[in-house]
Amino acid sequence: MSDKIEKLTSDLSRIMNSNQYRVEIDTEDMVLGFRKTLTTRTKNMAKWLRLQIKTQQDIGRFISPTVRIMEVRWFKNGQHIRTLKALPLN
């Protein structure tokens, strides 16, 4: 019985201590006017930090001739950390 309890507590602590990262990128097509949200999830902190730096640099830029990155949101373990919005073009 104690082995089972120890296994359950170790599994629970492993789940609670593992970090899950998520990045949501809102894009807008300037010609057609539609919006789309791209979502990326990872458990790798290095990948998440690289993605954070990349999206900070690309906010407001055009990723194709008509599609622009409008907003980026970062989450850690389901909790919202930060949001960046692009300035309007006008």
Side-chain angles (χ1 to χ4, degrees):
M1 183 70 172
S2 66
D3 291 334
K4 192 173 186 179
I5 292 172
E6 288 177 20
K7 184 179 179 339
L8 286 173
T9 55
S10 68
D11 289 345
L12 181 61
S13 82
R14 182 182 52 81
I15 291 170
M16 290 180 66
N17 292 330
S18 67
N19 292 323
Q20 295 180 353
Y21 305 101
R22 186 175 78 211
V23 178
E24 293 180 355
I25 304 168
D26 289 340
T27 60
E28 180 180 7
D29 189 311
M30 305 305 277
V31 175
L32 301 176
F34 67 85
R35 295 174 183 236
K36 185 173 182 178
T37 301
L38 308 170
T39 303
T40 302
R41 294 183 179 138
T42 185
K43 287 189 173 188
N44 186 343
M45 186 175 194
K47 180 179 177 183
W48 183 65
L49 290 174
R50 284 193 308 268
L51 189 58
Q52 209 175 10
I53 292 167
K54 176 73 173 149
T55 53
Q56 283 177 3
Q57 293 171 348
D58 288 347
I59 190 81
R61 288 190 182 167
F62 285 89
I63 56 175
S64 76
T66 61
V67 178
R68 183 175 182 224
I69 296 176
M70 298 301 292
E71 185 174 335
V72 179
R73 291 179 297 279
W74 294 285
F75 298 88
K76 180 179 179 182
N77 294 329
Q79 295 180 349
H80 182 258
I81 295 176
R82 187 173 173 193
T83 298
L84 286 180
K85 295 183 180 181
L87 296 173
L89 289 176
N90 297 345

